[in-house]
Amino acid sequence: EVAQLATSLPPALEQLERGERALLAGDLAGAAAAFEAGVHEAPHSPLLSRRHCQALLELGRAAEALVAAWHEVASPGLGARRA
């Protein structure tokens, strides 16, 4: 999926990489914000959605993570691919 983001949605890949760097630096809030921005750039990206949910969980924001996960599963096209 990273290769696909690189070719079709470079801004989303930039947000993914920014989020990963923030995680490595211990900046959970920055990571969550970057992953969320990436989800807005690539709303059908399971990777960005998953990383966003994971960052929210690490921040103790389980309710928001659940809403984000539900949105990701319910997104048109995404749920259909998993069914």
Side-chain angles (χ1 to χ4, degrees):
E1 184 175 352
V2 172
Q4 183 181 16
L5 289 175
T7 58
S8 63
L9 294 165
L13 178 61
E14 289 174 26
Q15 294 300 333
L16 175 66
E17 291 172 342
R18 194 180 93 184
E20 296 297 341
R21 285 191 303 273
L23 282 178
L24 287 174
D27 179 9
L28 293 173
F35 294 138
E36 182 177 19
V39 168
H40 288 291
E41 293 285 341
H44 299 295
S45 168
L47 176 59
L48 278 161
S49 295
R50 184 177 65 248
R51 297 303 281 148
H52 180 226
C53 291
Q54 289 171 327
L56 289 172
L57 284 172
E58 289 294 322
L59 285 166
R61 294 162 50 185
E64 289 177 66
L66 183 59
V67 170
W70 178 252
H71 182 266
E72 190 253 336
V73 170
S75 292
L78 205 57
R81 284 188 282 179
R82 293 184 179 170

Coordinates of all heavy atoms in Angstrom, one line a residue:
E1 N 0.8 -1.2 0.0 CA 0.0 0.0 0.0 C 0.9 1.3 0.0 O 0.5 2.3 -0.6 CB -0.9 0.0 1.2 CG -1.9 1.2 1.2 CD -2.9 1.2 2.3 OE1 -3.0 0.2 3.0 OE2 -3.6 2.2 2.4
V2 N 2.0 1.2 0.6 CA 2.9 2.4 0.6 C 3.3 2.7 -0.8 O 3.3 3.9 -1.2 CB 4.2 2.1 1.5 CG1 5.2 3.2 1.4 CG2 3.7 1.9 3.0
A3 N 3.7 1.7 -1.6 CA 4.0 2.0 -3.0 C 2.9 2.6 -3.8 O 3.1 3.6 -4.6 CB 4.5 0.7 -3.7
Q4 N 1.7 2.2 -3.5 CA 0.5 2.7 -4.1 C 0.3 4.2 -3.7 O 0.0 5.1 -4.6 CB -0.8 1.9 -3.8 CG -2.0 2.4 -4.5 CD -3.2 1.6 -4.2 OE1 -3.2 0.9 -3.2 NE2 -4.2 1.7 -5.0
L5 N 0.5 4.5 -2.4 CA 0.3 5.9 -2.0 C 1.4 6.7 -2.6 O 1.2 7.9 -3.0 CB 0.5 6.0 -0.5 CG -0.7 5.4 0.4 CD1 -0.4 5.5 1.8 CD2 -2.0 6.2 0.1
A6 N 2.6 6.2 -2.8 CA 3.7 7.0 -3.4 C 3.4 7.4 -4.8 O 3.8 8.5 -5.2 CB 5.0 6.2 -3.3
T7 N 2.8 6.5 -5.5 CA 2.5 6.8 -6.9 C 1.2 7.6 -7.1 O 1.1 8.5 -8.0 CB 2.5 5.6 -7.8 OG1 1.5 4.7 -7.3 CG2 3.8 4.9 -7.8
S8 N 0.2 7.3 -6.3 CA -1.1 7.9 -6.6 C -1.5 9.0 -5.7 O -2.2 9.9 -6.0 CB -2.2 6.8 -6.6 OG -2.3 6.2 -5.3
L9 N -1.0 9.0 -4.4 CA -1.3 10.1 -3.5 C -0.1 10.5 -2.6 O -0.1 10.2 -1.4 CB -2.5 9.6 -2.6 CG -3.8 9.3 -3.2 CD1 -4.7 8.5 -2.4 CD2 -4.4 10.7 -3.6
P10 N 0.9 11.1 -3.2 CA 2.1 11.5 -2.5 C 1.8 12.3 -1.2 O 2.5 12.1 -0.2 CB 2.9 12.3 -3.5 CG 2.4 11.8 -4.8 CD 1.0 11.4 -4.6
P11 N 0.8 13.2 -1.2 CA 0.5 13.9 0.0 C 0.1 13.0 1.2 O 0.5 13.2 2.4 CB -0.6 14.9 -0.3 CG -0.5 15.1 -1.8 CD 0.0 13.8 -2.3
A12 N -0.6 11.9 0.9 CA -1.0 11.0 1.9 C 0.2 10.2 2.4 O 0.4 10.0 3.6 CB -2.0 10.0 1.4
L13 N 1.1 9.9 1.5 CA 2.4 9.2 2.0 C 3.2 10.1 2.8 O 3.8 9.7 3.8 CB 3.2 8.8 0.7 CG 4.5 8.1 1.1 CD1 4.3 6.8 1.9 CD2 5.3 7.8 -0.2
E14 N 3.2 11.4 2.5 CA 4.0 12.4 3.3 C 3.4 12.4 4.8 O 4.2 12.5 5.7 CB 3.9 13.8 2.7 CG 4.7 13.9 1.4 CD 4.5 15.3 0.8 OE1 4.2 16.2 1.5 OE2 4.7 15.3 -0.5
Q15 N 2.1 12.4 4.9 CA 1.5 12.4 6.2 C 1.8 11.1 7.0 O 2.0 11.1 8.2 CB 0.0 12.6 6.1 CG -0.4 14.0 5.6 CD 0.1 15.1 6.4 OE1 0.3 14.9 7.6 NE2 0.3 16.2 5.8
L16 N 1.8 10.0 6.2 CA 2.1 8.7 6.9 C 3.5 8.7 7.4 O 3.8 8.4 8.6 CB 2.0 7.5 5.8 CG 2.4 6.2 6.3 CD1 1.5 5.6 7.4 CD2 2.4 5.2 5.2
E17 N 4.4 9.2 6.6 CA 5.8 9.3 7.0 C 6.0 10.3 8.2 O 6.8 10.0 9.1 CB 6.7 9.7 5.8 CG 6.8 8.6 4.8 CD 7.5 9.0 3.5 OE1 7.7 10.2 3.3 OE2 7.9 8.0 2.8
R18 N 5.3 11.4 8.1 CA 5.3 12.4 9.2 C 4.8 11.7 10.5 O 5.4 11.9 11.6 CB 4.5 13.6 8.9 CG 4.8 14.8 9.8 CD 4.0 16.0 9.4 NE 2.8 15.9 10.2 CZ 1.7 16.6 10.1 NH1 1.7 17.6 9.2 NH2 0.7 16.5 10.9
G19 N 3.7 11.0 10.4 CA 3.2 10.3 11.6 C 4.2 9.3 12.2 O 4.3 9.2 13.4
E20 N 4.8 8.5 11.3 CA 5.8 7.5 11.8 C 7.0 8.2 12.5 O 7.4 7.7 13.5 CB 6.2 6.6 10.6 CG 5.1 5.8 10.0 CD 4.5 4.8 10.9 OE1 5.1 4.4 12.0 OE2 3.4 4.3 10.6
R21 N 7.4 9.3 11.9 CA 8.5 10.1 12.5 C 8.1 10.6 13.9 O 8.9 10.6 14.9 CB 9.0 11.2 11.7 CG 9.9 10.8 10.5 CD 10.5 11.9 9.8 NE 9.6 13.0 9.3 CZ 9.0 13.0 8.1 NH1 9.2 12.0 7.3 NH2 8.2 13.9 7.8
A22 N 6.9 11.1 14.0 CA 6.4 11.6 15.3 C 6.3 10.5 16.3 O 6.7 10.7 17.5 CB 5.0 12.2 15.1
L23 N 5.9 9.3 15.9 CA 5.8 8.2 16.8 C 7.2 7.8 17.3 O 7.4 7.6 18.5 CB 5.2 6.9 16.1 CG 3.7 6.9 16.0 CD1 3.3 5.6 15.3 CD2 3.0 6.9 17.4
L24 N 8.2 7.8 16.4 CA 9.6 7.5 16.8 C 10.1 8.6 17.8 O 10.9 8.2 18.7 CB 10.5 7.4 15.6 CG 10.3 6.2 14.8 CD1 11.1 6.3 13.5 CD2 10.6 4.9 15.5
A25 N 9.6 9.8 17.7 CA 10.1 10.9 18.6 C 9.2 10.9 19.9 O 9.5 11.8 20.7 CB 10.0 12.2 17.8
G26 N 8.2 10.0 20.0 CA 7.4 10.0 21.2 C 6.3 11.0 21.2 O 5.7 11.3 22.2
D27 N 6.0 11.6 20.0 CA 5.0 12.6 19.9 C 3.7 11.9 19.4 O 3.4 12.0 18.2 CB 5.4 13.7 18.9 CG 4.4 14.8 18.7 OD1 3.4 14.8 19.4 OD2 4.6 15.6 17.8
L28 N 2.9 11.4 20.4 CA 1.7 10.7 20.0 C 0.7 11.6 19.4 O 0.0 11.2 18.4 CB 1.1 9.9 21.2 CG 2.0 8.8 21.7 CD1 1.4 8.2 23.0 CD2 2.1 7.7 20.7
A29 N 0.5 12.8 20.0 CA -0.5 13.7 19.5 C -0.1 14.1 18.0 O -1.0 14.2 17.2 CB -0.6 14.9 20.4
G30 N 1.1 14.4 17.8 CA 1.6 14.8 16.4 C 1.4 13.6 15.5 O 1.0 13.8 14.3
A31 N 1.6 12.4 15.9 CA 1.4 11.2 15.1 C -0.1 11.1 14.7 O -0.4 10.9 13.6 CB 1.9 10.0 15.7
A32 N -1.0 11.2 15.7 CA -2.4 11.1 15.5 C -2.9 12.2 14.5 O -3.6 11.9 13.6 CB -3.2 11.2 16.8
A33 N -2.4 13.4 14.6 CA -2.7 14.4 13.7 C -2.3 14.2 12.3 O -3.0 14.4 11.4 CB -2.2 15.8 14.2
A34 N -1.0 13.7 12.2 CA -0.5 13.4 10.8 C -1.3 12.3 10.2 O -1.7 12.4 9.0 CB 1.0 13.1 10.9
F35 N -1.6 11.2 10.9 CA -2.3 10.1 10.4 C -3.7 10.5 10.0 O -4.2 10.1 9.0 CB -2.3 8.9 11.3 CG -1.0 8.3 11.6 CD1 -0.6 7.9 12.8 CD2 -0.1 8.1 10.5 CE1 0.6 7.3 13.1 CE2 1.1 7.5 10.8 CZ 1.5 7.1 12.0
E36 N -4.3 11.4 10.8 CA -5.7 11.9 10.5 C -5.6 12.7 9.2 O -6.5 12.6 8.4 CB -6.2 12.7 11.7 CG -7.6 13.2 11.4 CD -8.2 14.0 12.6 OE1 -7.4 14.4 13.4 OE2 -9.4 14.1 12.6
A37 N -4.6 13.5 9.1 CA -4.5 14.3 7.8 C -4.3 13.4 6.6 O -4.9 13.6 5.6 CB -3.3 15.3 8.0
G38 N -3.6 12.3 6.8 CA -3.4 11.3 5.8 C -4.7 10.6 5.4 O -4.9 10.4 4.2
V39 N -5.5 10.3 6.4 CA -6.8 9.7 6.1 C -7.7 10.7 5.3 O -8.4 10.3 4.4 CB -7.5 9.4 7.4 CG1 -9.0 9.0 7.2 CG2 -6.8 8.2 8.1
H40 N -7.6 12.0 5.5 CA -8.3 12.9 4.7 C -7.8 13.0 3.3 O -8.6 13.2 2.4 CB -8.2 14.3 5.3 CG -9.1 14.5 6.6 ND1 -10.4 14.4 6.6 CD2 -8.7 14.6 7.9 CE1 -10.9 14.5 7.8 NE2 -9.8 14.6 8.6
E41 N -6.5 12.8 3.1 CA -5.9 12.7 1.8 C -6.2 11.4 1.0 O -6.4 11.4 -0.2 CB -4.4 12.8 1.8 CG -3.9 14.2 2.3 CD -4.0 15.3 1.3 OE1 -4.1 15.0 0.1 OE2 -3.9 16.5 1.7
A42 N -6.3 10.3 1.8 CA -6.5 9.0 1.2 C -7.6 8.3 2.1 O -7.2 7.4 2.9 CB -5.2 8.2 1.1
P43 N -8.8 8.6 2.0 CA -9.9 8.1 2.9 C -10.1 6.6 2.7 O -10.7 6.0 3.6 CB -11.1 8.9 2.5 CG -10.9 9.4 1.2 CD -9.4 9.6 1.0
H44 N -9.6 6.0 1.7 CA -9.8 4.5 1.5 C -8.5 3.7 1.8 O -8.4 2.6 1.4 CB -10.3 4.2 0.1 CG -11.6 4.8 -0.2 ND1 -12.7 4.5 0.5 CD2 -11.9 5.8 -1.1 CE1 -13.7 5.2 0.0 NE2 -13.3 6.1 -0.9
S45 N -7.6 4.4 2.5 CA -6.3 3.7 2.9 C -6.4 3.0 4.2 O -6.5 3.6 5.3 CB -5.2 4.7 3.0 OG -4.1 4.1 3.6
P46 N -6.5 1.6 4.2 CA -6.5 0.9 5.4 C -5.3 1.1 6.3 O -5.4 1.2 7.6 CB -6.6 -0.6 5.0 CG -7.1 -0.5 3.6 CD -6.6 0.8 3.0
L47 N -4.2 1.3 5.7 CA -3.0 1.6 6.5 C -3.0 2.9 7.3 O -2.8 2.9 8.5 CB -1.7 1.6 5.6 CG -0.4 1.9 6.2 CD1 -0.1 0.9 7.3 CD2 0.7 1.9 5.2
L48 N -3.4 3.9 6.6 CA -3.5 5.2 7.3 C -4.6 5.2 8.4 O -4.4 5.7 9.5 CB -3.8 6.4 6.3 CG -2.5 6.9 5.7 CD1 -2.8 7.6 4.4 CD2 -1.7 7.7 6.6
S49 N -5.7 4.6 8.1 CA -6.8 4.5 9.0 C -6.4 3.7 10.3 O -6.6 4.1 11.4 CB -8.0 3.8 8.4 OG -8.5 4.6 7.4
R50 N -5.7 2.6 10.0 CA -5.2 1.7 11.1 C -4.2 2.5 12.0 O -4.3 2.5 13.2 CB -4.6 0.4 10.6 CG -4.2 -0.5 11.7 CD -3.7 -1.8 11.2 NE -2.5 -1.7 10.5 CZ -2.3 -1.8 9.2 NH1 -3.3 -2.2 8.4 NH2 -1.1 -1.7 8.6
R51 N -3.3 3.2 11.4 CA -2.3 3.9 12.2 C -2.9 5.0 13.0 O -2.5 5.3 14.1 CB -1.2 4.4 11.2 CG -0.4 3.3 10.5 CD 0.2 2.3 11.5 NE 1.4 2.9 12.1 CZ 1.9 2.6 13.3 NH1 1.3 1.8 14.1 NH2 3.0 3.2 13.7
H52 N -3.9 5.7 12.4 CA -4.6 6.7 13.1 C -5.3 6.2 14.3 O -5.2 6.7 15.4 CB -5.7 7.4 12.2 CG -6.4 8.5 12.8 ND1 -7.8 8.6 12.7 CD2 -6.1 9.5 13.6 CE1 -8.2 9.6 13.3 NE2 -7.2 10.2 13.9
C53 N -6.0 5.1 14.2 CA -6.7 4.4 15.3 C -5.7 4.0 16.4 O -5.9 4.2 17.6 CB -7.5 3.2 14.8 SG -8.9 3.6 13.8
Q54 N -4.6 3.4 15.9 CA -3.6 3.0 16.9 C -3.0 4.2 17.7 O -2.8 4.1 18.9 CB -2.4 2.3 16.2 CG -2.8 0.9 15.6 CD -1.8 0.3 14.7 OE1 -1.1 1.0 14.0 NE2 -1.7 -1.0 14.7
A55 N -2.8 5.3 17.0 CA -2.2 6.5 17.7 C -3.3 7.0 18.7 O -2.9 7.4 19.8 CB -1.9 7.5 16.7
L56 N -4.5 7.0 18.3 CA -5.6 7.4 19.2 C -5.7 6.5 20.5 O -5.8 7.0 21.6 CB -6.9 7.5 18.5 CG -7.1 8.6 17.5 CD1 -8.4 8.4 16.7 CD2 -7.1 10.0 18.1
L57 N -5.5 5.2 20.3 CA -5.6 4.3 21.4 C -4.4 4.5 22.3 O -4.5 4.5 23.5 CB -5.5 2.9 20.9 CG -6.9 2.3 20.3 CD1 -6.7 1.0 19.7 CD2 -7.9 2.3 21.4
E58 N -3.2 4.8 21.8 CA -2.0 5.1 22.6 C -2.2 6.3 23.4 O -1.6 6.4 24.5 CB -0.8 5.2 21.7 CG -0.3 3.8 21.1 CD 0.1 2.9 22.2 OE1 0.8 3.3 23.1 OE2 -0.2 1.7 22.0
L59 N -3.0 7.3 22.9 CA -3.3 8.5 23.6 C -4.4 8.3 24.7 O -4.7 9.3 25.4 CB -3.7 9.6 22.6 CG -2.6 10.2 21.8 CD1 -3.2 11.0 20.6 CD2 -1.7 11.1 22.7
G60 N -5.0 7.1 24.7 CA -6.0 6.9 25.7 C -7.4 7.4 25.2 O -8.3 7.6 26.0
R61 N -7.5 7.6 23.9 CA -8.7 8.2 23.3 C -9.5 7.0 22.6 O -9.7 7.1 21.4 CB -8.3 9.3 22.3 CG -7.8 10.5 23.1 CD -7.0 11.5 22.3 NE -7.7 12.0 21.1 CZ -7.1 12.8 20.2 NH1 -5.8 13.2 20.4 NH2 -7.7 13.2 19.1
A62 N -9.9 6.0 23.4 CA -10.5 4.8 22.8 C -11.8 5.1 22.1 O -12.0 4.5 21.1 CB -10.7 3.8 23.9
A63 N -12.6 6.0 22.7 CA -13.9 6.3 22.0 C -13.7 6.9 20.6 O -14.3 6.5 19.7 CB -14.7 7.3 22.9
E64 N -12.7 7.8 20.5 CA -12.4 8.4 19.2 C -11.8 7.3 18.2 O -12.1 7.3 17.0 CB -11.4 9.5 19.3 CG -12.0 10.8 20.0 CD -10.9 11.8 20.1 OE1 -10.4 12.3 19.1 OE2 -10.6 12.1 21.3
A65 N -11.0 6.4 18.8 CA -10.4 5.4 18.0 C -11.5 4.5 17.4 O -11.5 4.0 16.3 CB -9.4 4.6 18.8
L66 N -12.5 4.2 18.3 CA -13.6 3.3 17.9 C -14.4 4.0 16.8 O -14.8 3.4 15.8 CB -14.5 3.0 19.1 CG -15.7 2.1 18.8 CD1 -15.2 0.7 18.3 CD2 -16.5 1.9 20.1
V67 N -14.7 5.3 16.9 CA -15.4 6.0 15.9 C -14.6 6.0 14.6 O -15.2 5.8 13.5 CB -15.8 7.5 16.3 CG1 -16.3 8.3 15.2 CG2 -16.7 7.4 17.5
A68 N -13.3 6.3 14.7 CA -12.5 6.3 13.5 C -12.5 4.9 12.8 O -12.5 4.8 11.6 CB -11.1 6.7 13.8
A69 N -12.4 3.9 13.6 CA -12.4 2.5 13.1 C -13.7 2.2 12.4 O -13.7 1.6 11.3 CB -12.1 1.5 14.2
W70 N -14.8 2.6 13.0 CA -16.1 2.3 12.4 C -16.2 3.1 11.1 O -16.7 2.5 10.1 CB -17.2 2.8 13.4 CG -18.6 2.6 12.8 CD1 -19.4 3.5 12.4 CD2 -19.2 1.3 12.5 NE1 -20.5 3.0 11.8 CE2 -20.4 1.6 11.9 CE3 -18.8 0.0 12.7 CZ2 -21.3 0.6 11.5 CZ3 -19.7 -1.0 12.3 CH2 -21.0 -0.7 11.7
H71 N -15.8 4.3 11.1 CA -15.8 5.1 9.8 C -15.0 4.4 8.7 O -15.5 4.3 7.6 CB -15.3 6.5 10.1 CG -15.4 7.4 8.9 ND1 -14.3 7.5 8.0 CD2 -16.4 8.1 8.3 CE1 -14.7 8.3 7.0 NE2 -15.9 8.7 7.2
E72 N -13.9 3.9 9.1 CA -13.0 3.2 8.1 C -13.7 2.0 7.6 O -13.7 1.7 6.4 CB -11.7 2.8 8.7 CG -10.6 2.4 7.8 CD -10.4 0.9 7.8 OE1 -10.6 0.3 8.9 OE2 -9.9 0.3 6.8
V73 N -14.3 1.2 8.4 CA -15.0 -0.1 8.0 C -16.2 0.3 7.2 O -16.6 -0.4 6.2 CB -15.3 -0.9 9.2 CG1 -16.2 -2.1 8.8 CG2 -14.1 -1.4 9.9
A74 N -16.9 1.3 7.5 CA -18.2 1.7 6.9 C -18.0 2.5 5.6 O -19.0 2.8 4.9 CB -19.1 2.4 7.8
S75 N -16.8 2.9 5.3 CA -16.5 3.7 4.1 C -16.9 3.0 2.8 O -16.6 1.8 2.7 CB -15.0 4.1 4.0 OG -14.7 4.9 5.0
P76 N -17.6 3.7 1.9 CA -17.9 3.0 0.6 C -16.7 2.4 -0.1 O -15.7 3.1 -0.2 CB -18.5 4.2 -0.2 CG -18.9 5.2 0.8 CD -17.9 5.1 1.9
G77 N -16.9 1.2 -0.5 CA -15.8 0.5 -1.2 C -14.9 -0.2 -0.3 O -14.5 -1.3 -0.7
L78 N -14.6 0.3 0.8 CA -13.7 -0.4 1.7 C -14.4 -1.7 2.3 O -13.8 -2.8 2.3 CB -13.2 0.5 2.8 CG -11.9 0.2 3.5 CD1 -10.8 0.2 2.4 CD2 -11.6 1.2 4.5
G79 N -15.5 -1.5 2.9 CA -16.2 -2.6 3.5 C -16.5 -3.7 2.4 O -16.5 -4.9 2.7
A80 N -16.8 -3.2 1.2 CA -17.2 -4.1 0.1 C -16.0 -5.0 -0.2 O -16.1 -6.2 -0.6 CB -17.6 -3.4 -1.1
R81 N -14.8 -4.4 -0.1 CA -13.6 -5.2 -0.4 C -13.3 -6.3 0.6 O -12.7 -7.3 0.3 CB -12.3 -4.3 -0.5 CG -12.3 -3.5 -1.8 CD -11.0 -2.8 -2.0 NE -11.1 -1.7 -1.1 CZ -10.1 -0.8 -0.9 NH1 -9.0 -1.0 -1.6 NH2 -10.2 0.2 -0.2
R82 N -13.7 -6.0 1.8 CA -13.5 -6.9 2.9 C -14.5 -8.0 3.0 O -14.3 -9.0 3.7 CB -13.4 -6.2 4.2 CG -12.2 -5.3 4.3 CD -12.1 -4.6 5.6 NE -10.9 -3.8 5.6 CZ -10.6 -2.9 6.5 NH1 -11.4 -2.7 7.5 NH2 -9.5 -2.2 6.4
A83 N -15.7 -7.8 2.5 CA -16.8 -8.7 2.6 C -16.6 -9.9 1.8 O -15.8 -10.0 0.9 CB -18.1 -8.0 2.2

